[in-house]
Amino acid sequence: MTSLWPTQRFLPGIATLIGLTMSDSPLPAANYDEAKVPRYELPDSLTMQDGTPVESAKDWTEKRRPEVLELFRKHVYGRSPAKPSGLKFKVIQNDDTALGGQAIRREVLTTFSRKEATPEANLLIYLPKNTDGPVPTFLTINFDGNHTVHPDPGISITRSWVRNNKDWGIENNRADKRSRGSRRSRWAIEKILERGYALATIDYRDIDPDYDDSFANGVHRLYPKPKPDEWGSISAWAWGLSRCLDYLETDRDINAKKVAVMGHSRLGKTSLWAGAQDERFALVVSNDSGCGGAALSRREFGETVKRINTSFPHWFCDNFTKYNDRVNELPVDQHMLIGLAAPRPVYIASATGDPWADPNGEFLSGYHAGSVYELFGLKGVGVAQQPEADHPVGHHVGYHLRTGKHDVTDYDWEQYLNFADRHLK
Ligand code: GCU
């Protein structure tokens, strides 16, 4: 595979988003017309590959769940290595006067190997003060560096390679203090703390870079080059979230049995996959995750499997490309990814201005995951039609369609906190 810079990799995504196709692209224009969604039949979550029906929660847990998980590993995201023996955590700062005294700011340096040249990841944690005992926590993965989630001058600036950005003063692919707080609007930190939750977050590039480098960097470089059924970048980022949870389990201020994993967009695909594989996550949140996340692949509405594999060849395992032109032959669809979280609660959010991510397809995944929840005597979204904008619905599967663009806003966080209050408190 040739190595391309992230900007070049990102361009096809932007071009398709605004309805253009790259001049050398063999891809048809994206469909945004509900009437043109092809007829499709979803694989049944409750039928084993050999045709045996799944009749109980026990059948699901012991037989079908492992089978579905294996299908996603083999055909979609790729399997990841076990927890590395050289994994180490070091608390590098702990300040109990953060955010005007409202919070404790903690940073944990994570190293993944005993080798000197190990990749390093910095986990940032804000803890509310004056709580009785360990707190439930949102673990999130961010795009632009921990220091962008809040202007707090105490947050270490990311040392990862970053895309140049004039608005943020980034010129030589190195971030500096000018980008502090630049993504603040996405993180509602004060609100999360007021509601009694901690927020832990990590820069996704600290785990693995987001460009096609033939897996020569990030945590991938500690392992042999992936085979066609082995981890792409989404699997690597999800694996990184599990390593963060390994740390959270050792932190006495955190209730590690009540950790919600949350991500936006490609990192929403990541949070769903992390939550599917790692049953220690108590709740899973997908914000505008779209194709390869919550959206049903077979609808081919907005971004398609072929397009995502073309624009972002490093995200999924190589086997996934076999389905570019025959998505109906995939042994899974994304409602089964949601089902892998069951009986744990999942929240799926869409936005009206985000047709690329197929909001209705995101809703339908949640809806069709309901049959798995029912095995456990639980209700899924509880409605059969996508609700109108700004009307959250759901029981063990929560859903809302927010008015606005592809983003994470205070409105989204308000719903995640309400949902977490219902299920984790
Ligand atoms: C592109 C890509 C999406 C992805 C999004 C993001 O638009 O096509 O699949 O979710 O980037 O991560 O912001």
Side-chain angles (χ1 to χ4, degrees):
M1 274 194 274
T2 48
S3 171
L4 289 176
W5 294 111
T7 35
Q8 290 170 282
R9 278 281 160 240
F10 198 58
L11 273 174
I14 292 172
T16 46
L17 191 60
I18 56 172
L20 302 173
T21 32
M22 304 292 276
S23 55
D24 60 347
S25 170
L27 297 164
N31 174 43
Y32 293 114
D33 182 352
E34 194 64 46
K36 291 192 183 140
V37 169
R39 279 172 174 274
Y40 61 88
E41 200 180 322
L42 293 177
D44 184 4
S45 303
L46 303 191
T47 305
M48 297 285 300
Q49 292 309 96
D50 69 2
T52 316
V54 174
E55 282 164 348
S56 63
K58 187 167 185 281
D59 284 354
W60 170 263
T61 308
E62 291 178 5
K63 297 186 194 139
R64 182 61 170 158
R65 185 180 192 282
E67 186 175 69
V68 172
L69 192 55
E70 173 57 22
L71 292 171
F72 274 105
R73 287 193 169 126
K74 185 164 173 194
H75 299 278
V76 183
Y77 304 100
R79 63 189 89 251
S80 312
K83 174 174 164 177
S85 59
L87 184 70
K88 267 179 88 176
F89 307 110
K90 189 174 169 199
V91 176
I92 52 171
Q93 63 149 295
N94 192 59
D95 179 355
D96 63 6
T97 64
L99 309 185
Q102 189 198 356
I104 301 170
R105 181 195 336 98
R106 188 167 293 163
E107 287 190 347
V108 183
L109 184 72
T110 305
T111 47
F112 300 94
S113 144
R114 288 191 197 87
K115 291 180 196 152
E116 211 172 297
T118 169
E120 290 183 351
N122 195 5
L123 178 67
L124 167 70
I125 307 171
Y126 279 109
L127 291 149
K129 287 184 29 186
N130 309 323
T131 55
D132 1 300
V135 288
T137 300
F138 281 91
L139 172 63
T140 71
I141 177 160
N142 69 74
F143 277 89
D144 299 291
N146 297 346
H147 69 290
T148 66
V149 307
H150 197 282
D152 177 356
I155 306 174
S156 301
I157 292 176
T158 186
R159 294 196 295 178
S160 278
W161 185 101
V162 295
R163 230 178 297 141
N164 288 338
N165 180 327
K166 272 200 203 114
D167 294 344
W168 298 353
I170 298 174
E171 279 161 4
N172 300 314
N173 305 113
R174 289 275 155 224
D176 64 30
K177 63 181 183 191
R178 285 171 290 179
S179 49
R180 280 196 183 285
S182 49
R183 286 292 192 200
R184 177 180 198 170
S185 65
R186 285 189 172 174
W187 296 103
I189 292 178
E190 282 84 357
K191 186 177 288 202
I192 293 168
L193 294 167
E194 270 165 31
R195 298 275 294 256
Y197 294 83
L199 178 82
T201 189
I202 192 157
D203 180 344
Y204 78 139
R205 301 158 307 194
D206 276 10
I207 311 287
D208 221 38
D210 189 5
Y211 53 91
D212 180 7
D213 61 347
S214 288
F215 302 116
N217 300 289
V219 294
H220 266 113
R221 76 178 150 85
L222 299 173
Y223 297 88
K225 196 170 148 52
K227 300 196 179 81
D229 66 344
E230 288 180 342
W231 57 342
S233 308
I234 291 176
S235 269
W237 300 323
W239 180 91
L241 285 168
S242 286
R243 304 295 68 84
C244 293
L245 184 52
D246 295 336
Y247 166 75
L248 296 177
E249 287 188 319
T250 70
D251 188 322
R252 282 194 286 172
D253 293 326
I254 303 276
N255 184 342
K257 299 236 172 320
K258 295 191 174 180
V259 175
V261 62
M262 180 274 178
H264 166 58
S265 206
R266 70 198 66 184
L267 302 178
K269 311 180 206 300
T270 301
S271 61
L272 286 171
W273 182 226
Q277 294 184 95
D278 191 334
E279 293 179 276
R280 294 174 300 167
F281 288 114
L283 188 153
V284 185
V285 181
S286 148
N287 192 93
D288 303 358
S289 61
C291 181
L296 290 175
S297 302
R298 280 167 173 75
R299 280 171 48 84
E300 306 210 88
F301 188 104
E303 188 169 33
T304 60
V305 167
K306 181 170 190 171
R307 204 174 276 273
I308 206 167
N309 278 329
T310 308
S311 309
F312 306 100
H314 55 293
W315 282 3
F316 299 89
C317 72
D318 280 355
N319 278 344
F320 196 38
T321 59
K322 292 185 189 160
Y323 300 95
N324 282 356
D325 293 307
R326 38 193 193 100
V327 75
N328 282 309
E329 290 174 32
L330 262 170
V332 289
D333 209 318
Q334 300 304 105
H335 63 304
M336 293 158 84
L337 180 68
I338 311 297
L340 285 174
R344 296 163 297 151
V346 178
Y347 200 102
I348 302 168
S350 310
T352 54
D354 190 20
W356 183 239
D358 185 11
N360 193 27
E362 294 181 313
F363 166 77
L364 288 169
S365 267
Y367 171 73
H368 288 292
S371 59
V372 182
Y373 284 86
E374 280 161 23
L375 289 176
F376 293 88
L378 301 170
K379 277 196 193 156
V381 283
V383 292
Q385 300 285 325
Q386 187 186 28
E388 53 184 283
D390 310 319
H391 283 77
V393 293
H395 300 271
H396 262 67
V397 181
Y399 179 84
H400 72 251
L401 172 67
R402 169 180 49 76
T403 300
K405 63 180 175 127
H406 183 72
D407 200 359
V408 195
T409 68
D410 283 0
Y411 178 86
D412 297 311
W413 276 107
E414 191 68 45
Q415 313 319 314
Y416 303 152
L417 289 163
N418 293 345
F419 189 69
D421 280 356
R422 291 209 299 276
H423 294 285
L424 298 183
K425 282 198 169 163

